[in-house]
Amino acid sequence: MSERTPLLHYRLSASVNESGEHHSEAGQDALDQPPSLARRKSTPSQPPKLTTFFGVVIPTLLSMFSVVVFLRIGFVVGQCGLYQALGMLAVAYFIISMTVLSVCAISTNGALDAGGAYYMISRALGPEFGGSLGIMFFFANVCGSALYVLGLVEAMLATFGVSEAGVDSSSKYQVLPVGYWWSLLYGTALLLVCLVVCLVGARIYAKATFIIFLVVIFVLGTIFVSFFAVKPQVVNLPGPFTNNSSATANFTGFKLDTLRRNLEADYTVDYTTNTMMTFATVFAVMFNGCTGIMAGSNMSGDLKNPSYAIPRGTITAVIFTLIIYLLLIILVACTCDRVLLQRDYSFLRDINLWHPFVTIGVYSSTLSASMSNLIGASRILYALARDDLFGKVLSPAKKTSASGNPWASVLISWFLVQLVLFSGKLNTIAAIVTIFFLLVYAAVDLACLALEWASAPNFRPTFRYFTWHTCVLGIVGCAVMMFLINPIYASASIIFMLLLLLIIHYLCPTSSWGYISQALIFHQVRKYLLMLDVRKDHVKFWRPQVLLMVSNPRASVGLITFINDIKKSGLYVLGHVQIGDLAVLPSDPLQCRYDSWLSLVDHLNIKAFVNLTLADSVRHGVQHLLFISGLGGMRPNTLVLGFYDDAPPQDQLQDRTFRSLDDPALTEDQEDPLYHFPPLRGSTPDNKNRGGACGGKVLSPQEYVCIIADAVKMLKNVALARYFGQFDRQRALQSPVFVDVWPVNLLRPDSSSYVDTCSLFLLQLACILNMTRSWQKAKLRLFLCVEAGRSLKGAEQKLKQLLKDLRMKADIHTVPWDEQVALHWQRQQVGVAIEAEAEKGEREAGEKEEEQVMIEEEEPEEEEEYANSFPSNTVRLSDDYLHAVNRLILDQPFSPPAVRFLYLPRPPADTRRYNNYLHQLELLSRDLGPTMLIHGVTPVITTDL
């Protein structure tokens, strides 16, 4: 039964398919189960997993004890005194307790796999933070393993090392040669022992650590007994000595005077480093004994039930070590002379019932801590390799044995620990190890804090003894400790982590773990959208919020990138209408297309949203998008359409001149897999019969103008973009760059004005384009069309004053257009005669009352549609006049502009004249190059402060 429990737990936590069904029937075929579960069932020889005591409690206890409990307790009390020592212990355990609460919360929020703290952080904060901190945690464990090996070597040489020349030695056990290379040899041999244990697997590691745990507990027991059983004695102090220093100190036993002398702080020079001790330096040493709380979490992949074992085992170990440290500090302060504590860090050995007990405890705990860090580093590296955050670089670390032990990761970790051993000095790496661990602890607190603040419904940890306050306190405590220990190392480690974060952000593939940043952004955006009150909108803070309708992105790359420049940090939505009826379709055909559109947005490096809709016509689809796009105060106020003409579209996604510079090179016969958009009309022989998907036009001229009229009725500004199919942004921005603005209604020369809403909107958009970083070098050219009867200088002066009031810079060019206006007035006379004939015909038709009644009954809707119609200027414009105005724009004696802005008149009220209106726009803008015809309906500019 015990052997089936891990498999049962795994099935319950990992075999839930996307529909929420559990594949837990005993007789189900492995092919019907998830691949991970099938692999588990194919290896029935896997050893049983570790329990809470063997997998969490023992590794955490031994990692937290290490050598501090035996060699630094007296140092802390001797320098700080009892009061400050207890205060330091309280602060240190307060910091790690806050982190332990976060660890417990995250570990009980779902199935936990191999990787420990890395797995928690990566699944909570995303691959960037997870990968960067995982690497740092890996290096921290590597350096930590080397640290404990070097500490064990120093302890061995202190007992068995041959004394230096000229120094008397009465010990017969000093047989080991000393020196850098000898120390490296001893460290290598000890590391090989750790390697063998870790290669065998987690079970032998657990058995080895259990034996070490029994030894350490026994030694601790002898220490506690020694305080009561050993009589007061004089202890010889290790040299060197000065004239003012004594060679002996007293173990007084329990005396009130001894306790009183040890209450206050008395900082002196550390006899091992010859540096003056302070509160910060002593605190850093003492806090190093409180790290190691992640030792049990690192074994998460080898535990029977990680979500159960990690919180209970870690809290148990923390409470136990706190009690041990607290008792030792009090007993030392009551029984040991101050000089003994300051001058002999191994005094526990000298006052023990049997001196070798403490030596055995030091060796055992240090060896265990080294193995714990080595196996923890290998598990973290294996998890990093399995997640493919660094591509093929870590692929060798994925290899495992038949029992699931990641032997390749163990070997790589061992090799790196061996390299660190060449540093040769424990103090060289001690500070950076502690700072790395603190940074990881702070990241765990940050992960828990982010999950709590995001208010994600799926964040439901069974461990509830935490709040966001505990997370913040843990983060602040870890940060303070990092800079207290060594501000240079702390700053360097943070910079290193940020560099790793950026590298992973730009190089690693998108993961399926979920990004906490998205949850936090959603939480904040929702809050601020509710605060964005449309009733408080002001013209001073107006910005374009654009809905760009895209029929096929293959032919619209130039327009999409241009509109991205003109949005001025406003809302930008790419809209698309798919013709169809959901009632007769098996599913929504648009859901599978969002990935391609979002990939297009990423490829073009634009800041835009995507909104697709299904409708029975393009007109109704655009209406849907204008009604529903955006939220609250962030709704489109400007509709941009491509121009309705017969120009053959060009596939800009396949044209290399339009590809992004950082896009991977593709062969000529290779299609980019990201863009699964239909072919352009005219690119396939059967396109005329393929409807809206990829065939000929599905939009009639009448419906096209109806879309413009609908947008104007909805008080949306409208822009028509022509000749942007060949617009190349890089080529257009080559110096010199000009932007031409014609803010007069060229279809109504008899009522032209430079100060109406539409012309001001035209000027505002041109100014916004000029404010964009890429277009800042562009020069605005404003063309002032005047007749001979008007004062040229007076009109130009008024326009200059207007630009000054509007804080706009533009070169004004006056353009006489008497010849073009003459053609317009010539057509006017013909138009009057035509209208007179029309009125006469209407009077004759009015005499037939019965026929009129019949028409009203048969066509009531059509009569209502034209009830408010009036004679439009569109019928009075000849093609000659439009050709003349078109030539007037083209024949200006200046360099051709990158883009032109023209005034777009309002569509006529009579819908029967829509085709004529579109024809006039086509003649007006023919051969002008990239041109925006713009109609504004709302005030967008002010001269007020």
Side-chain angles (χ1 to χ4, degrees):
M1 182 67 183
S2 60
E3 294 182 355
R4 296 181 59 186
T5 303
L7 177 60
L8 178 60
H9 168 70
Y10 185 87
R11 291 169 66 104
L12 293 177
S13 62
S15 63
V16 182
N17 62 8
E18 292 181 357
S19 62
E21 298 174 355
H22 293 267
H23 299 273
S24 56
E25 290 80 358
Q28 188 171 7
D29 194 286
L31 295 176
D32 297 330
Q33 298 178 4
S36 58
L37 183 55
R39 288 194 299 268
R40 291 295 297 265
K41 293 191 71 174
S42 64
T43 56
S45 60
Q46 266 196 331
K49 298 286 188 173
L50 300 178
T51 61
T52 302
F53 182 73
F54 287 97
V56 181
V57 176
I58 292 179
T60 305
L61 280 175
L62 295 179
S63 296
M64 295 185 70
F65 278 150
S66 65
V67 298
V68 174
V69 70
F70 298 109
L71 300 180
R72 289 298 182 267
I73 286 294
F75 163 77
V76 173
V77 177
Q79 297 289 342
C80 299
L82 179 62
Y83 291 153
Q84 289 192 14
L86 293 177
M88 286 183 181
L89 188 68
V91 172
Y93 268 82
F94 176 78
I95 293 173
I96 65 170
S97 297
M98 298 301 101
T99 303
V100 167
L101 295 180
S102 300
V103 171
C104 296
I106 297 177
S107 63
T108 59
N109 190 51
L112 197 62
D113 208 340
Y118 158 72
Y119 189 88
M120 298 179 192
I121 297 171
S122 62
R123 269 50 177 184
L125 298 183
E128 295 96 340
F129 277 97
S132 58
L133 286 165
I135 287 291
M136 298 193 70
F137 198 27
F138 167 71
F139 283 131
N141 279 274
V142 167
C143 295
S145 181
L147 174 76
Y148 292 122
V149 169
L150 291 174
L152 180 55
V153 170
E154 290 185 8
M156 290 174 56
L157 292 180
T159 305
F160 302 104
V162 176
S163 300
E164 298 178 1
V167 179
D168 294 335
S169 175
S170 59
S171 176
K172 60 181 179 180
Y173 301 109
Q174 293 180 338
V175 294
L176 297 178
V178 296
Y180 171 78
W181 293 106
W182 284 107
S183 298
L184 181 61
L185 178 62
Y186 304 147
T188 302
L190 293 172
L191 185 59
L192 284 175
V193 175
C194 298
L195 173 65
V196 171
V197 173
C198 295
L199 282 177
V200 173
R203 293 297 298 175
I204 188 64
Y205 164 75
K207 293 178 180 179
T209 53
F210 178 65
I211 296 173
I212 295 173
F213 170 74
L214 294 178
V215 172
V216 171
I217 293 299
F218 176 77
V219 172
L220 283 175
T222 63
I223 290 175
F224 282 114
V225 171
S226 298
F227 282 111
F228 297 92
V230 175
K231 297 180 180 179
Q233 62 183 28
V234 177
V235 179
N236 293 322
L237 300 178
F241 307 104
T242 62
N243 295 331
N244 297 326
S245 61
S246 174
T248 60
N250 296 321
F251 171 73
T252 64
F254 289 94
K255 285 189 177 181
L256 186 58
D257 290 340
T258 303
L259 176 60
R260 288 175 179 173
R261 288 193 296 267
N262 288 331
L263 291 178
E264 303 295 335
D266 182 18
Y267 294 104
T268 61
V269 175
D270 178 18
Y271 75 92
T272 62
T273 60
N274 293 323
T275 57
M276 185 67 184
M277 292 292 98
T278 63
F279 179 88
T281 55
V282 176
F283 193 20
V285 172
M286 195 273 294
F287 190 81
N288 191 44
C290 300
T291 58
I293 57 175
M294 293 292 186
S297 302
N298 291 342
M299 302 295 296
S300 57
D302 299 297
L303 299 174
K304 284 184 178 180
N305 190 342
S307 298
Y308 176 88
I310 290 176
R312 288 163 176 80
T314 305
I315 292 176
T316 301
V318 169
I319 294 175
F320 184 80
T321 56
L322 174 61
I323 294 174
I324 296 298
Y325 279 130
L326 186 63
L327 292 176
L328 282 176
I329 288 174
I330 295 175
L331 292 175
V332 166
C334 293
T335 59
C336 297
D337 203 9
R338 194 61 167 262
V339 178
L340 176 63
L341 300 178
Q342 293 176 344
R343 298 298 308 277
D344 187 5
Y345 297 158
S346 59
F347 74 98
L348 290 177
R349 179 189 61 190
D350 299 328
I351 66 171
N352 199 270
L353 292 172
W354 188 50
H355 294 178
F357 276 153
V358 174
T359 302
I360 294 173
V362 171
Y363 294 171
S364 302
S365 61
T366 309
L367 185 64
S368 171
S370 178
M371 283 192 296
S372 175
N373 280 267
L374 179 59
I375 198 169
S378 65
R379 270 33 179 192
I380 296 169
L381 181 62
Y382 172 67
L384 284 166
R386 195 175 55 178
D387 288 337
D388 286 326
L389 294 184
F390 298 91
K392 297 182 179 179
V393 177
L394 298 180
S395 57
K398 296 180 182 179
K399 298 179 181 179
T400 60
S401 63
S403 61
N405 186 35
W407 60 268
S409 297
V410 173
L411 288 177
I412 295 174
S413 302
W414 164 80
F415 177 74
L416 294 177
V417 173
Q418 182 64 52
L419 292 180
V420 178
L421 288 180
F422 280 94
S423 64
K425 295 294 182 181
L426 185 147
N427 291 339
T428 306
I429 57 176
I432 192 64
V433 170
T434 303
I435 288 174
F436 273 5
F437 277 114
L438 285 172
L439 192 59
V440 174
Y441 297 165
V444 173
D445 288 320
L446 178 62
C448 188
L449 176 67
L451 290 170
E452 180 70 11
W453 276 356
S455 300
N458 284 319
F459 182 59
R460 298 187 298 271
T462 56
F463 183 88
R464 295 300 306 170
Y465 300 101
F466 77 101
T467 65
W468 68 268
H469 304 85
T470 61
C471 301
V472 171
L473 290 174
I475 295 172
V476 173
C478 292
V480 170
M481 275 301 307
M482 286 171 56
F483 286 93
L484 190 64
I485 293 171
N486 193 313
I488 297 177
Y489 284 175
S491 302
S493 63
I494 293 175
I495 293 174
F496 179 61
M497 181 199 72
L498 294 177
L499 289 176
L500 285 174
L501 189 148
L502 292 176
I503 292 172
I504 298 175
H505 176 74
Y506 287 107
L507 296 183
C508 82
T510 303
S511 72
S512 59
W513 308 336
Y515 294 80
I516 189 62
S517 58
Q518 298 301 305
L520 292 173
I521 290 171
F522 177 87
H523 189 268
Q524 292 301 111
V525 167
R526 181 192 62 85
K527 180 174 69 175
Y528 286 116
L529 275 176
L530 292 173
M531 297 171 60
L532 191 61
D533 193 344
V534 294
R535 296 169 295 183
K536 298 179 181 179
D537 285 345
H538 195 278
V539 66
K540 290 190 298 184
F541 307 110
W542 180 90
R543 67 180 72 238
Q545 312 217 64
V546 183
L547 170 62
L548 172 61
M549 297 304 305
V550 181
S551 175
N552 193 325
R554 293 186 178 278
S556 306
V557 172
L559 180 58
I560 292 172
T561 55
F562 177 77
I563 298 300
N564 185 67
D565 288 335
I566 211 172
K567 70 180 187 302
K568 188 56 179 177
S569 302
L571 178 68
Y572 185 18
V573 180
L574 299 180
H576 174 73
V577 179
Q578 173 71 27
I579 304 300
D581 186 1
L582 192 60
V584 298
L585 294 174
S587 62
D588 184 4
L590 299 177
Q591 295 303 317
C592 60
R593 300 190 178 183
Y594 272 97
D595 285 343
S596 291
W597 283 83
L598 295 176
S599 298
L600 175 74
V601 170
D602 295 337
H603 164 69
L604 298 179
N605 194 25
I606 61 174
K607 299 177 181 178
F609 299 95
V610 174
N611 206 347
L612 313 180
T613 188
L614 190 70
D616 57 353
S617 68
V618 177
R619 181 184 181 185
H620 290 163
V622 176
Q623 289 178 358
H624 295 168
L625 294 178
L626 286 174
F627 278 125
I628 68 174
S629 293
L631 286 174
M634 293 191 66
R635 292 183 178 276
N637 56 32
T638 303
L639 174 67
V640 180
L641 302 171
F643 198 80
Y644 192 94
D645 57 19
D646 295 325
Q650 178 182 352
D651 194 337
Q652 297 172 339
L653 285 181
Q654 295 300 320
D655 190 343
R656 295 302 185 270
T657 60
F658 292 95
R659 300 192 71 85
S660 177
L661 294 178
D662 57 353
D663 200 48
L666 298 174
T667 60
E668 293 297 329
D669 57 346
Q670 190 177 15
E671 185 177 354
D672 196 324
L674 293 178
Y675 313 123
H676 302 293
F677 299 116
L680 296 171
R681 54 185 172 89
S683 60
T684 56
D686 61 337
N687 60 1
K688 293 183 179 180
N689 300 320
R690 296 183 64 181
C694 56
K697 291 184 177 180
V698 296
L699 185 65
S700 66
Q702 182 83 6
E703 187 179 6
Y704 178 81
V705 182
C706 286
I707 294 174
I708 301 174
D710 292 342
V712 173
K713 292 176 184 178
M714 298 168 67
L715 297 181
K716 306 293 185 183
N717 309 296
V718 180
L720 308 182
R722 189 172 191 188
Y723 296 118
F724 277 87
Q726 292 80 33
F727 179 78
D728 185 354
R729 185 171 177 270
Q730 293 182 354
R731 191 188 313 150
L733 292 177
Q734 293 178 355
S735 186
V737 184
F738 299 99
V739 177
D740 288 358
V741 182
W742 297 75
V744 63
N745 186 354
L746 297 175
L747 299 188
R748 292 294 298 269
D750 53 334
S751 61
S752 61
S753 173
Y754 292 96
V755 292
D756 67 351
T757 300
C758 187
S759 59
L760 290 178
F761 183 82
L762 202 70
L763 292 173
Q764 179 77 326
L765 282 190
C767 182
I768 289 174
L769 179 64
N770 195 212
M771 294 170 65
T772 306
R773 179 179 300 177
S774 302
W775 292 82
Q776 283 181 348
K777 295 182 180 180
K779 293 184 178 180
L780 296 183
R781 298 189 302 208
L782 190 58
F783 291 90
L784 174 61
C785 297
V786 294
E787 299 180 54
R790 298 176 58 186
S791 173
L792 298 181
K793 292 185 178 180
E796 185 176 348
Q797 190 64 31
K798 289 182 180 179
L799 187 56
K800 285 184 178 180
Q801 185 62 37
L802 175 64
L803 293 179
K804 182 179 179 181
D805 294 339
L806 298 179
R807 291 91 60 202
M808 295 181 179
K809 294 182 180 180
D811 296 333
I812 301 177
H813 302 279
T814 56
V815 180
W817 64 331
D818 296 79
E819 297 180 3
Q820 291 77 19
V821 174
L823 290 173
H824 170 71
W825 287 113
Q826 180 180 354
R827 178 69 174 178
Q828 287 280 52
Q829 302 300 323
V830 179
V832 171
I834 294 175
E835 289 181 6
E837 292 293 334
E839 291 177 359
K840 180 179 179 181
E842 289 178 0
R843 285 195 300 269
E844 293 177 355
E847 295 176 356
K848 301 177 181 180
E849 296 181 357
E850 295 179 357
E851 182 179 356
Q852 183 70 24
V853 171
M854 182 178 62
I855 294 175
E856 291 178 356
E857 291 177 352
E858 293 179 355
E859 300 179 341
E861 295 181 359
E862 185 178 357
E863 180 66 19
E864 183 180 355
E865 184 178 1
Y866 301 131
N868 296 323
S869 65
F870 55 88
S872 171
N873 190 60
T874 57
V875 301
R876 303 179 182 179
L877 296 177
S878 65
D879 290 353
D880 293 337
Y881 166 75
L882 294 170
H883 283 297
V885 174
N886 178 260
R887 287 194 301 272
L888 174 70
I889 299 174
L890 281 174
D891 295 341
Q892 293 302 312
F894 304 106
S895 300
V899 64
R900 287 184 173 91
F901 287 81
L902 299 184
Y903 190 113
L904 175 66
R906 184 188 182 104
D910 189 345
T911 59
R912 292 170 296 186
R913 293 168 180 166
Y914 279 1
N915 287 345
N916 191 31
Y917 169 78
L918 186 58
H919 172 70
Q920 292 171 356
L921 294 180
E922 194 278 330
L923 293 179
L924 177 66
S925 59
R926 180 177 293 178
D927 298 327
L928 293 185
T931 302
M932 297 291 295
L933 294 101
I934 300 171
H935 182 81
V937 298
T938 56
V940 296
I941 198 167
T942 179
T943 58
D944 297 336
L945 181 62

